[in-house]
Amino acid sequence: MSDLLSDEEISEKAPEGWEREGEEIVRTFEFDDYLEGVAFASEVGELAEEEFHHPEMRIGYKEVEVRFTNHEAGGITDADVEMAELVNDVR
């Protein structure tokens, strides 16, 4: 199991555009249309399968919200931060 990050570590390590909400890091990505967001969510899903670390995603009309946490550890770990960085690279 991964070690939880401290509040300070989360503030320092959270990638650009990601914010902490409770025990998760969250970012909302905006798109020109719905299908562009769906395609992005699909790419993130494939990445999550490869890395075996899955986010919660909410697909809206022109946005996709992505949330990472480590349920086993009970909060935010380095794995969450690393996945957030990889998701930023997808966009």
Side-chain angles (χ1 to χ4, degrees):
M1 178 176 3
S2 300
D3 291 332
L4 291 176
L5 297 177
S6 68
D7 292 341
E8 185 177 309
E9 288 173 317
I10 294 167
S11 295
E12 291 173 2
K13 292 183 176 187
E16 182 178 340
W18 292 80
E19 296 182 7
R20 180 182 187 172
E21 286 187 13
E23 299 304 319
E24 301 174 311
I25 53 174
V26 181
R27 180 169 180 188
T28 300
F29 295 85
E30 296 183 1
F31 300 92
D32 291 332
D33 61 49
Y34 177 74
L35 289 179
E36 188 179 344
V38 170
F40 168 78
S42 179
E43 284 186 67
V44 171
E46 289 179 25
L47 174 65
E49 278 293 295
E50 289 172 12
E51 299 295 325
F52 201 70
H53 193 63
H54 303 87
E56 290 189 22
M57 290 190 279
R58 184 189 60 78
I59 302 172
Y61 175 57
K62 290 188 175 185
E63 64 184 28
V64 176
E65 180 186 80
V66 182
R67 295 177 169 268
F68 282 104
T69 190
N70 189 309
H71 296 286
E72 290 178 1
I76 302 165
T77 66
D78 278 323
D80 301 302
V81 171
E82 291 166 11
M83 283 300 298
E85 291 170 349
L86 292 173
V87 170
N88 277 359
D89 291 344
V90 169
R91 183 63 168 128

